[in-house]
Amino acid sequence: MMLDKVYEPQRFEPRWAQWWVEQGLFRASVEAPGPVFSLVIPPPNVTGSLHIGHMLEHTEIDVTVRWHRMRGYNTLWLPGTDHAGIATQMLVERALAEEGLDRRKLGREAFLERVWAWKERYGDTIKRQMIRLGASCDWSRERFTLDPGLSRAVRETFVRLYEKGLIYRGEYMVNWCPRCQTALSDLEVVHDETPGNLWYIRYPVIGMDRFLVVATTRPETMLGDTAVAVNPADERYRDLHGKRVLLPLMNREIPVIVDELARPDFATGVVKVTPFHDPNDFEAGRRHNLPKIQVIGETGAMTAEAGPYAGLDRFEARRRVVADLEQLGLLEKIEPYTVSLGKCQRCKTPVEPLVSIQWFVRTKPLAEPAIRVVEEGRIRFIPENWTKTYFEWMYNIRDWCISRQLWWGHRIPAFYCADCGHTTVARQDPQACASCGSPRLEQDPDVLDTWFSSALWPFSTLGWPDDTPDLRKFYPTSLLITGFDILFFWVARMIMMGLECVGDVPFREVYIHGLVRDAERQKMSKTRGNVIDPLEVTEKYGTDAVRMSLLLGAAPGTDIVLTEERMLSARAFANKIWNAARFLFLHMERCGVQPWLPPVNAPRRPEPAAPDGSAWLEDRWMFSRLNRVTDAANRAIARYRYHELAQLLWQFFWHEFCDWYVEIKKLRFRENSGLNADWRNLLTIFEAGLRLLHPAMPFITEELWQRLAANQSERPVSIALAPYPQYDAAGDDPEAERQMELVQEIVVAARNLRTTLQLDPRQTLDAVLYSPDLAADLAESHREIIERLAGIRLEIQREGRPTPGPAVRSTPEFDLLLRIPAAQSDAQRRRLEKEIQRLEKLVASSQAQLDNEEFLRRAPAEVVASLREKLADYKAQLAKNREALAALSQ
RNA sequence: GGGCGGUUAGCUCAGCUGGUCAGAGCGUCUGCCUUACAAGCAGAAGGUCAGAGGUUCGAGUCCUCUACCGCCCA
């Protein structure tokens, strides 16, 4: 039963982590009783390791999951990982590069073998980390987005959507990453404000002796211009409608078109049109049937169409184009201009918009029902303001480019006929063309955007498209906890796909957590070098402490600041619990008390333990407090107010249980008492406290609980399966709380006097309590407690009041006098003056309000009454303090 | 350009439906190694809740404007 003197979580946390998994404690069952609570993990990237943001996410999930499990829900937390197409492929390619290889040299099959080997090697890291961090998930249901079952779901979805016309293939403007050499979706492009220039270029007008000056941020694309545009409303250029200009450098004649594309208020109001390399120009090109000329290729080098610039890198080409224009006198001016430069989310290479044949999801028809379910409240976002962000995006949603020119991922199940060109999209690899029967089929080489499979995650992991028991039982999932950064990438798409494929929402609530930041409120990133490694800090402070410090900062809608100091203080809290337990166990041994767990339905009120057959005040108080804290804790978790939960339990355990309750209980221990009512009360509180704390700090609570539970047969195998305490109105004891507060006030008054008078804390002092009523009664009946905690000998005076003086502390209920030989009056005078000032202010402001007739007429009666009461108190205290000060001045 | 959020004690932040909301942790100061815990105990100091105006009997709390700082989308 004895605990080590120092709290060393490293000694027991890994053991319990392992044990939970081995025991299959968190395995869900479709047969299990109880209401269902299910949640799928936002699958981390398979090749990565977990960072502190994951730990926050997993802690919040785990708290909620453990809480539901303890409340008797049939609970599933399904874990797994994502193949993370581009991200993973990039890593492996980088490794290959170090060997002087590249994927093309290796070939598709060999390359994929390498990626799988990589996945096998690093894929377990995440699982190991999660287990170590105490995540209570069901490992028997672990999934990976490239698992055969999930791949089948992907294929099924693709085929269905294709058959419904919701997936199509076509030539459109896409974002192209010249380094990754693949198309990207709009979301995978990040925009950076970058200093650039606006180059003003003169285009000679055919048949006129003038120039049209065009401003552009990308002069190299002019090589692909097929028109220049002016606004129809722009009077300045009315005479140029229908004219042609000569494209400099290329010496090609191109038309002047009239289009809204040109904004009269921007630069010269004339814009060049490059349909192949700009999304707006692409649209304009369509409107005017302009030819498209590709001057920049897939690697970022200029194409043959770029004439003399062919083969140059696009940025080099820019320099040369500018220089050449300058030489020809066709460069009017250069202005500095900040551009929003699109970059590849993964490799940060500037993206090249270009026209390409790709696969797309038609999103509008999918978005409509997805908007509706949120409007109807069938899915709720917490915090609520994310709803608006969600709607904004959904209303303006654009088709989703889903094909990627990668090898790592789900291959697009489209087969092209070499003979008739027909496209066959099928659930099974076709042997012959669906149109002409030719066997000469070739599968599309591309794979799907990694988010395509993620979008199916809540149901593909449960066995869809089959109608499995898991799917029936656990879909829709109850809750999703994730970060705002993937609201569009993932959350929105899951909603669309869930509704489309399964016909129901994928989850009912979405809790969006904040970002973990460092002490300077900086985002954590590898390049900044301020990342906190979960395993490292876990090793250093203990998992429970790190979890606790994350939770303490996790107020909904705010970012989480995590610092060493925070983790340090959370560890101090864990240490406090540890020592409280050590103390209890020590005294249990001395008193001859065996490990004991209170019965499951422990009473809400304490057992009478006092000699007169009544219950001790401290027991009544503590049971009542426990009951209220229980209420608050349950409500906090239910509302995702994790910081409140953490703060609440911290306050309760440390500053109520340890600071007061245990201190008082020291009076009650008797040698060889055995398991008496005192012990049963104490252990009932402590054990319930452990259960309250378990979702937040699973390890220390399991460790301590198991010791209490030792050798007892009638009990759950783990605290994780024990019931979470529930509020019971019958457990409130407001009278005990009021009385205890008064006892505390007396003790604090004595301590306060002692310190302000700078008296030896070890010396027992004589004190007199003056009170006509309640305080005197309480002091009488709880003399022992007060004397012990305050270090005084107490005398009680029911009549009269002390001569005001430096050693008197006054409250509305009582006056307390410390008998001391000679008072240090200076300190006392300062204290009194300050107190008088404070009270005068309070009296003045309450008086003013009470003099306000409007207030008296319109404020609720009890507000007015309570203010009157307060004013009376303030006045009484003020009088006492003034007397004291006067006495001091004599 | 559109949207969202922030500005409360030296620091990092809570403060949910306006009326014990002026709080917590850390830090600071004073005193204690009181045998569960110095990773501790006891006590204390510290804020005109960014600024201005408004609504209200009453405003960190609601509204408007201003300043500064973030984030997202185009």
Side-chain angles (χ1 to χ4, degrees):
Chain A
M1 196 90 214
M2 288 301 292
L3 293 180
D4 296 329
K5 185 156 166 63
V6 279
Y7 167 65
E8 277 180 284
Q10 301 80 0
R11 298 174 67 150
F12 58 83
E13 287 185 351
R15 184 158 42 81
W16 289 120
Q18 200 57 40
W19 184 78
W20 288 330
V21 174
E22 282 165 9
Q23 296 294 305
L25 239 49
F26 309 130
R27 202 167 291 162
S29 160
V30 288
E31 274 103 44
V36 170
F37 180 81
S38 61
L39 173 151
V40 292
I41 192 173
N45 291 354
V46 68
T47 55
S49 54
L50 300 182
H51 54 70
I52 199 73
H54 288 113
M55 188 167 177
L56 167 74
E57 185 167 284
H58 295 173
T59 300
E60 293 184 342
I61 292 175
D62 198 47
V63 167
T64 306
V65 164
R66 282 180 186 267
W67 177 63
H68 276 98
R69 190 181 292 114
M70 290 176 81
R71 290 192 310 149
Y73 279 71
N74 183 3
T75 304
L76 167 64
W77 175 7
L78 187 146
T81 44
D82 194 301
H83 68 282
I86 298 188
T88 306
Q89 178 157 335
M90 254 180 67
L91 281 179
V92 177
E93 285 191 73
R94 199 176 295 158
L96 285 180
E98 278 170 27
E99 300 173 33
L101 283 170
D102 71 60
R103 67 169 157 132
R104 284 169 225 278
K105 271 188 216 157
L106 218 54
R108 186 162 190 147
E109 224 164 285
F111 177 76
L112 284 178
E113 270 172 37
R114 293 287 290 254
V115 189
W116 275 105
W118 184 282
K119 186 253 171 191
E120 293 312 322
R121 187 141 59 110
Y122 297 104
D124 266 356
T125 313
I126 289 168
K127 179 173 178 180
R128 279 201 315 275
Q129 277 185 299
M130 285 186 68
I131 290 174
R132 177 63 185 83
L133 298 177
S136 67
C137 41
D138 180 354
W139 291 106
S140 75
R141 283 181 169 80
E142 184 182 5
R143 296 289 183 269
F144 176 52
T145 45
L146 282 174
D147 283 348
L150 279 75
S151 298
R152 195 157 70 87
V154 165
R155 188 147 180 177
E156 174 69 25
T157 304
F158 189 95
V159 174
R160 276 198 203 180
L161 293 180
Y162 178 77
E163 286 170 351
K164 288 179 77 172
L166 292 173
I167 281 182
Y168 63 92
R169 187 170 185 246
E171 185 179 59
Y172 295 95
M173 176 68 60
V174 296
N175 307 292
W176 184 269
C177 174
R179 200 218 61 91
C180 301
Q181 299 209 21
T182 177
L184 303 171
S185 69
D186 295 336
L187 285 178
E188 287 164 300
V189 177
V190 291
H191 293 268
D192 249 348
E193 296 282 290
T194 313
N197 290 316
L198 209 47
W199 284 272
Y200 288 75
I201 307 169
R202 296 178 176 139
Y203 287 28
V205 181
I206 306 283
M208 288 174 89
D209 188 20
R210 63 179 278 197
F211 295 113
L212 208 46
V213 181
V214 159
T216 178
T217 58
R218 299 198 58 198
E220 72 280 11
T221 63
M222 68 168 290
L223 305 173
D225 284 1
T226 52
V228 294
V230 296
N231 192 283
D234 196 336
E235 295 298 333
R236 291 174 291 174
Y237 304 111
R238 188 156 293 270
D239 58 328
L240 292 172
H241 293 186
K243 298 278 184 191
R244 296 173 75 77
V245 295
L246 186 70
L247 181 64
L249 304 178
M250 302 305 282
N251 295 317
R252 193 165 65 225
E253 280 190 24
I254 54 175
V256 177
I257 61 169
V258 180
D259 196 282
E260 303 280 350
L261 178 69
R263 284 168 32 208
D265 55 333
F266 182 77
T268 59
V270 186
V271 64
K272 59 195 249 352
V273 185
T274 321
F276 207 97
H277 293 290
D278 181 280
N280 295 319
D281 296 6
F282 176 78
E283 294 301 327
R286 287 207 151 176
R287 288 194 289 272
H288 297 268
N289 277 320
L290 297 174
K292 297 187 288 282
I293 300 175
Q294 178 171 17
V295 292
I296 301 171
E298 295 182 351
T299 60
M302 306 307 286
T303 66
E305 298 275 12
Y309 305 93
L312 291 178
D313 174 77
R314 51 189 170 148
F315 296 108
E316 178 57 23
R318 174 180 301 176
R319 281 186 283 276
R320 298 274 276 272
V321 163
V322 170
D324 291 348
L325 286 170
E326 179 127 54
Q327 204 161 29
L328 291 170
L330 294 175
L331 191 62
E332 183 151 305
K333 59 174 172 173
I334 306 175
E335 274 177 2
Y337 185 75
T338 304
V339 292
S340 174
L341 185 62
K343 293 179 178 171
C344 171
Q345 182 195 30
R346 287 293 158 195
C347 72
K348 307 293 184 256
T349 303
V351 158
E352 189 57 47
L354 50 79
V355 176
S356 167
I357 297 178
Q358 301 289 343
W359 287 90
F360 296 86
V361 171
R362 201 180 302 283
T363 38
K364 280 265 186 273
L366 295 171
E368 278 165 23
I371 289 168
R372 213 172 312 128
V373 292
V374 175
E375 282 172 346
E376 288 167 357
R378 290 172 60 200
I379 294 178
R380 200 164 73 90
F381 287 95
I382 301 119
E384 216 172 344
N385 53 302
W386 288 108
T387 312
K388 196 166 176 188
T389 309
Y390 173 80
F391 284 144
E392 283 298 315
W393 192 68
M394 289 303 258
Y395 288 139
N396 300 306
I397 198 163
R398 295 194 298 183
D399 282 0
W400 172 19
C401 174
I402 50 171
S403 44
R404 296 289 178 277
Q405 288 63 52
L406 306 173
W407 289 347
W408 177 241
H410 301 274
R411 192 145 169 195
I412 291 175
F415 300 80
Y416 308 116
C417 178
D419 291 320
C420 74
H422 179 77
T423 301
T424 306
V425 169
R427 289 172 176 80
Q428 301 297 324
D429 288 3
Q431 298 307 308
C433 172
S435 174
C436 72
S438 161
R440 301 208 307 146
L441 292 178
E442 202 169 326
Q443 185 170 6
D444 192 305
D446 294 349
V447 300
L448 289 166
D449 180 3
T450 199
W451 295 102
F452 190 90
S453 56
S454 315
L456 317 180
W457 184 253
F459 46 93
S460 63
T461 52
L462 295 173
W464 189 89
D466 294 334
D467 184 16
T468 62
D470 270 14
L471 189 68
R472 285 173 180 225
K473 188 78 179 178
F474 298 116
Y475 190 92
T477 63
S478 315
L479 169 69
L480 179 77
I481 297 187
T482 190
F484 58 82
D485 49 330
I486 50 178
L487 185 64
F488 307 142
F489 274 113
W490 192 46
V491 180
R493 288 165 178 170
M494 279 191 288
I495 297 174
M496 293 191 280
M497 290 301 197
L499 290 167
E500 173 63 25
C501 296
V502 194
D504 202 348
V505 294
F507 28 71
R508 304 184 193 286
E509 295 197 329
V510 182
Y511 177 71
I512 306 280
H513 64 242
L515 218 59
V516 180
R517 295 176 178 276
D518 70 4
E520 277 75 48
R521 297 206 95 259
Q522 295 277 311
K523 221 179 201 167
M524 291 191 183
S525 73
K526 280 180 195 149
T527 45
R528 278 204 189 85
N530 61 348
V531 289
I532 293 180
D533 173 29
L535 284 183
E536 200 178 289
V537 291
T538 290
E539 196 52 42
K540 198 163 164 194
Y541 303 102
T543 309
D544 285 331
V546 181
R547 288 172 64 122
M548 197 65 179
S549 44
L550 286 166
L551 291 173
L552 276 164
T558 65
D559 287 340
I560 289 91
V561 174
L562 187 67
T563 61
E564 297 275 329
E565 292 78 50
R566 265 166 200 266
M567 292 184 276
L568 214 55
S569 82
R571 189 187 58 169
F573 176 61
N575 182 58
K576 186 75 186 177
I577 297 169
W578 183 262
N579 276 293
R582 205 164 81 85
F583 174 80
L584 291 187
F585 295 166
L586 200 81
H587 280 276
M588 282 171 79
E589 215 146 75
R590 281 187 195 154
C591 297
V593 176
Q594 294 304 305
W596 181 78
L597 278 186
V600 178
N601 292 315
R604 292 303 180 165
R605 297 277 186 149
E607 280 187 60
D612 66 358
S614 68
W616 295 118
L617 175 61
E618 77 268 12
D619 283 333
R620 290 176 57 199
W621 168 72
M622 192 82 284
F623 270 72
S624 183
R625 288 296 308 142
L626 172 71
N627 194 43
R628 287 189 202 276
V629 167
T630 294
D631 184 30
N634 277 287
R635 278 187 293 138
I637 307 177
R639 299 172 61 206
Y640 311 103
R641 302 183 68 82
Y642 301 105
H643 69 301
E644 243 172 46
L645 173 80
Q647 230 168 57
L648 205 64
L649 296 177
W650 182 301
Q651 170 70 25
F652 173 74
F653 229 104
W654 198 324
H655 299 299
E656 296 188 299
F657 181 78
C658 291
D659 288 353
W660 290 96
Y661 186 66
V662 170
E663 287 306 316
I664 294 172
K665 277 299 174 204
K666 287 178 177 172
L667 291 166
R668 314 292 186 210
F669 296 137
R670 298 285 176 271
E671 294 263 320
N672 301 317
S673 64
L675 183 68
N676 58 13
D678 268 315
W679 272 109
R680 283 192 295 270
N681 286 337
L682 176 50
L683 290 174
T684 297
I685 296 288
F686 183 64
E687 193 267 350
L690 290 180
R691 280 183 288 132
L692 277 177
L693 208 47
H694 180 258
M697 304 179 88
F699 292 104
I700 190 174
T701 49
E702 181 79 280
E703 174 73 18
L704 299 176
W705 190 86
Q706 291 291 347
R707 286 169 195 259
L708 287 177
N711 306 322
Q712 296 188 58
S713 48
E714 295 284 311
R715 60 155 184 124
V717 294
S718 161
I719 188 174
L721 302 182
Y724 200 73
Q726 292 301 309
Y727 174 74
D728 179 352
D732 286 342
D733 189 343
E735 188 192 47
E737 290 192 33
R738 252 199 325 277
Q739 294 185 359
M740 183 66 190
E741 260 169 46
L742 201 44
V743 168
Q744 289 174 322
E745 269 180 51
I746 296 171
V747 170
V748 170
R751 286 171 173 172
N752 183 289
L753 278 175
R754 183 194 292 276
T755 339
T756 39
L757 297 174
Q758 297 182 321
L759 301 169
D760 184 350
R762 284 157 300 190
Q763 189 191 348
T764 302
L765 299 167
D766 286 310
V768 190
L769 180 96
Y770 294 84
S771 161
D773 41 39
L774 183 61
D777 296 345
L778 278 172
E780 190 75 58
S781 48
H782 300 93
R783 176 190 295 278
E784 208 184 352
I785 293 176
I786 294 168
E787 290 191 332
R788 181 191 169 97
L789 296 187
I792 54 176
R793 268 184 305 272
L794 193 62
E795 182 188 320
I796 295 162
Q797 294 282 348
R798 287 179 181 274
E799 288 178 8
R801 293 181 42 204
T803 314
V808 177
R809 190 79 168 157
S810 298
T811 75
E813 285 85 11
F814 62 85
D815 303 274
L816 188 78
L817 168 81
L818 273 196
R819 287 196 204 282
I820 44 166
Q824 284 81 342
S825 51
D826 269 359
Q828 198 60 8
R829 186 195 313 272
R830 277 197 302 277
R831 186 183 70 75
L832 286 170
E833 280 167 351
K834 223 169 166 174
E835 184 67 5
I836 287 169
Q837 256 182 19
R838 189 182 75 91
L839 288 166
E840 278 171 344
K841 262 170 95 178
L842 284 171
V843 166
S845 74
S846 341
Q847 188 65 62
Q849 199 166 6
L850 285 169
D851 289 343
N852 183 336
E853 281 179 27
E854 281 290 282
F855 171 71
L856 297 177
R857 211 174 64 233
R858 311 185 68 146
E862 60 276 17
V863 172
V864 177
S866 91
L867 189 62
R868 284 222 168 89
E869 242 169 74
K870 271 190 222 161
L871 178 60
D873 275 359
Y874 295 149
K875 280 181 168 166
Q877 284 185 65
L878 188 57
K880 284 181 185 178
N881 281 286
R882 280 187 176 140
E883 282 177 46
L885 187 63
L888 204 61
S889 310
Q890 281 168 7

